Structure formats: structure tokens, C-alpha cells
Amino acid sequence: MKSGKWNRMRAALVAFLCLAPLALTPMSQAQETKEKVTVDDVDRTFMLRLPKGYDAQRRYPVVMLLHGLNQDADDMERLTQFDQVADKEGIIAVYPMAMNGRWNIGVQPEQHRMGMGPGGGHHRRGGSGGGGYPGGGGGYPGGGGQQPSGREAEDRKPAPADDIAFFNQLIDQLTSKFSADALRVYVAGLSEGGFMSLRLGCSLGDRIAAVGAIGAAMPKTMICLPSRPVPLVMINGTADPVVRYGGGSEENLRLTTLSVEDSAKAWAKIDRCAEKPEHSKIATPKGGTETRVDTYTSCQQDAQVVSYSLKGAGNTWPGGMQYEAENQVGKTSADFNANTTLWSFLVTKKLPPKSEGGQ
């Protein structure tokens, strides 16, 4: 009799222990998976992280975080530490993977040369190729490009990836397979990922509610014709050795950028904001990073352009990890948090309810 009772108790205990993780996991732990979509018969991947307490009955905002040159999704997740904000605020965090570590930012390289860059050390491959914008060879806003010729043909580069198609399919999958709010999809990137974020704002304005560019500026040859005024937040270091604050040559991508101030001004013009920004500064502890804020308001459809300029900072994610040596990418500010600054901007932006999805 005792043996039978013990066996029943033991079976009940085993059943409880087996079921308990199933009941607790969705409520207590974040869920991270590797997803894929197929573009031009090539599998493209992205890392998806559902926040703690994820409930399929709710609709969640999405932040896509784009890695820099020769980095990957794991690098971006680690160096930004954005997961902490995602769990706190209830955000689906997405870390897409570029083809061969390079985004097709849609701007034709200007000349052939080698360089150093964030996330990959020596420049291991040829130019980004492709031309999604006039002047880049592919026509706005497509994702193709001219084939290399002359000296560049020696690189034997593969055709540039159709990253616009990749992100279109990625967003489709997020909204069909997961509880993503199609009106609150955002993108932010670091360095080359920041250039790609700008391109997505130009090309997918009907699908992306707002854009964040960290350590990036507008290429001079980028022509941006979004379908609607797209809100933009920029975060840049004044001592950035990769994407220079004052504009000029970007060695890794072989292109010339506008200055950070002119980039914000150009985007504000696209959004038809007030001609001059409002200037302010963020108070910091003694010896902390001095930050200037330029805010363009009175934009069409309540868009906004805000530029944060961090004195002495480099091509880094403020508040994140120092992912490479300072002599390569510059200094990471420890007292400015890019994640909270970024989210405080994005959370106030939303696509118009009647906007059409896809292109």
C-alpha cells in the first residue's frame, strides 16, 4: 500500500516538474531563435529575440539592429546590450545578418582602396557594390547595381545582395509569424549598419516608422526620396575616425559623406521641417561626455529629426561595449546611453494606420 501511494506521488511530482518549465518559460525568460528568409534562392538569416513575458495575444514594437562592417548579429547583440531595454520595454529585438558581413547601402564606391573598419579589422573584401540610388547604377529604390568593370572586375565580387528585398521579407515574416505591430517597426544601425538604416528609411518609408543612425552620416551621392516624412535620430561622436564628424572620405566603403550637421539638415529638408534646428545641451557629471542636441521640428506629418553630438566619442555605441581598440574606432562614451536615448525617440513614432505594407 505504501509502495503504491509513493509511486503515485512520485509520478505526480515528475509530471509537475516536466510541465512547470513549459508554464514558466514564456513568462520568465526571453526566447531567442534564428530565423531565415530566402531571397534570390539564397537563405538569409536574422536573430529574433522575443522579450520576457512575451504574449502572442499582444502586439509588440520591433527594433531591427544592424551590425557594422564585417560584424554579425551576435556582435551587435553583445556590443549594444539592447536586450536589457527590450525586456524592460517589451520590444521584439531583431538582429539581421548581412551577406558576407557587408550591407548593400545602395551607393557606388568611388575608388579602389583598402582600409580599416569597425568589427572586422582589415578591409577583407571589395566595395559594397550595388547602386540602389541614382548615381549608384541601380535606380532608386531598387537593390541591384552595376557590375564591376576595369580594375574593380579583378575583385570578382558576387552580385550585391538585394537587401531591400531581404528586409521586405523579414518584416513580412515578423508580422505573420510573430506578434509584431506592423505600425511600429523601427531600424537602427552602427557605422555601415547606420548607412543601411538610412537607406531603409529612404526606400521602405511605408514599412519603417522611424530610423536611428549611430556612427553614420549621409553619403554625398545618396538621393533619398521616401514615400513619407521619416523621423530620424542620429548619434555621433565628434572624434569618430571612421565616419568623420565633419564629413569627407569613408575609407572602408570608399565614399564621401556629408558632415553630421549637414546630414541632419538634409534629412530635415526631406521631411520638410523648420529650416534651422533648436540647440540644447545635455547636462553631464563633471568630466562626463559633453553632448549637443540639434532638434528639427515643425516637420510634415509630425516627423522629427534629432542629432546628438558626443564630444570626444568615436565610431561606437555609447553606453555599450568598447568592441575594438580606441586607436581603431575611437572612444565609447560610458555616461551616455544610446539604447534609452534611441528608444525614447522611437517609441513616440508610429506609421499612419492606413499605410500600405510592402513595395
Side-chain angles (χ1 to χ4, degrees), residues 231-307:
L232 170 68
V233 58
M234 300 177 66
I235 301 175
N236 296 84
T238 62
D240 188 334
V242 180
V243 181
R244 292 176 175 82
Y245 187 83
S249 176
E250 204 287 351
E251 297 290 328
N252 298 302
L253 303 183
R254 308 200 302 276
L255 53 81
T256 302
T257 64
L258 300 176
S259 70
V260 170
E261 292 179 15
D262 284 345
S263 296
K265 184 177 181 180
W267 201 279
K269 187 174 182 180
I270 292 168
D271 286 350
R272 292 179 172 82
C273 307
E275 186 176 346
K276 294 183 179 180
E278 300 171 1
H279 302 297
S280 61
K281 289 185 178 181
I282 296 178
T284 58
K286 188 175 181 180
T289 304
E290 181 182 315
T291 303
R292 170 177 164 169
V293 186
D294 293 341
T295 304
Y296 288 88
T297 59
S298 302
C299 312
Q300 283 196 347
Q301 298 182 26
D302 295 323
Q304 191 180 37
V305 177
V306 182
S307 173

Side-chain angles (χ1 to χ4, degrees), residues 103-109 128-145 160-161 163-164 195-196 199 203 219 221-223 255:
W103 296 110
N104 177 6
I105 66 168
V107 176
Q108 184 78 3
S128 63
Y133 302 89
Y140 178 88
D163 281 333
I164 298 302
F195 287 118
M196 188 65 210
R199 185 188 181 193
S203 299
T221 55
M222 177 180 281
I223 296 177
L255 53 81

Side-chain angles (χ1 to χ4, degrees), residues 30-216:
Q31 302 173 63
E32 190 166 291
T33 61
K34 196 171 187 178
E35 304 289 327
K36 73 174 183 178
V37 296
T38 303
V39 182
D40 295 332
D41 297 323
V42 176
D43 287 342
R44 299 289 302 272
T45 61
F46 61 95
M47 196 161 64
L48 174 111
R49 188 179 186 279
L50 303 177
K52 291 180 180 179
Y54 175 79
D55 179 358
Q57 302 304 311
R58 290 178 52 190
R59 288 290 172 189
Y60 292 85
V62 173
V63 177
M64 301 183 291
L65 296 120
L66 311 188
H67 62 76
L69 171 68
N70 293 334
Q71 294 178 334
D72 60 24
D74 289 329
D75 293 328
M76 193 63 175
E77 183 181 36
R78 183 170 55 253
L79 75 88
T80 63
Q81 301 175 13
F82 188 81
D83 291 348
Q84 298 174 23
V85 175
D87 284 338
K88 181 181 178 182
E89 303 293 343
I91 302 166
I92 295 176
V94 178
Y95 300 90
M97 288 278 288
M99 285 285 290
N100 302 314
R102 301 296 305 270
W103 296 110
N104 177 6
I105 66 168
V107 176
Q108 184 78 3
E110 295 171 0
Q111 54 186 332
H112 185 87
R113 58 188 175 189
M114 307 292 276
M116 300 288 289
H122 286 287
H123 186 65
R124 300 189 300 232
R125 303 176 180 89
S128 63
Y133 302 89
Y140 178 88
Q146 292 178 329
Q147 294 298 317
S149 59
R151 187 174 178 181
E152 287 198 43
E154 297 173 5
D155 289 352
R156 299 179 184 176
K157 299 190 298 284
D162 190 346
D163 281 333
I164 298 302
F166 171 49
F167 281 96
N168 258 321
Q169 291 194 39
L170 189 159
I171 295 171
D172 286 344
Q173 187 158 313
L174 290 175
T175 54
S176 62
K177 187 176 176 181
F178 303 96
S179 295
D181 186 345
L183 302 182
R184 293 187 294 162
V185 176
Y186 311 101
V187 62
L190 171 64
S191 198
E192 188 186 49
F195 287 118
M196 188 65 210
S197 295
L198 292 172
R199 185 188 181 193
L200 290 172
C202 296
S203 299
L204 297 181
D206 58 346
R207 308 206 74 183
I208 292 174
V211 171
I214 292 80

